[in-house]
Amino acid sequence: MCLAIPTKITSVQGNYAYAETMGIRQKINIQLIENPMPGDFVLLHAGFAIEKIDQREYIFLNHTLNEMIKDDENKPRI
């Protein structure tokens, strides 16, 4: 199973872009998506943008991911 993280592109430079994921800025590969632009929302897997998503889906996935992290922090450590 794979995990793709919702990410927002902030700038584009050739085949790469800078994107922000949960407050972390990183360089990503954008060769797998069509016409990437700053402001686009994408799913990121292993450093590659693999699919464009709309803002509504980005917000939902970001919220879900944050809830998963929060739930994990509340679980007792074994």
Side-chain angles (χ1 to χ4, degrees), residues 12-37:
V12 175
Q13 299 172 351
N15 291 327
Y16 294 90
Y18 282 94
E20 189 170 312
T21 306
M22 299 177 70
I24 299 170
R25 191 166 185 256
Q26 61 187 326
K27 188 174 182 180
I28 65 172
N29 188 301
I30 52 174
Q31 293 183 53
L32 300 176
I33 59 174
E34 241 180 85
N35 196 29
M37 303 291 288

Side-chain angles (χ1 to χ4, degrees), residues 61-74:
L61 292 172
N62 211 20
H63 174 75
T64 302
L65 185 59
N66 280 308
E67 287 297 311
M68 289 170 49
I69 292 168
K70 183 171 72 174
D71 284 348
D72 191 47
E73 290 172 352
N74 295 328

Side-chain angles (χ1 to χ4, degrees), residues 1-18:
M1 176 168 57
C2 298
L3 177 65
I5 306 297
T7 303
K8 181 178 181 179
I9 294 175
T10 57
S11 65
V12 175
Q13 299 172 351
N15 291 327
Y16 294 90
Y18 282 94

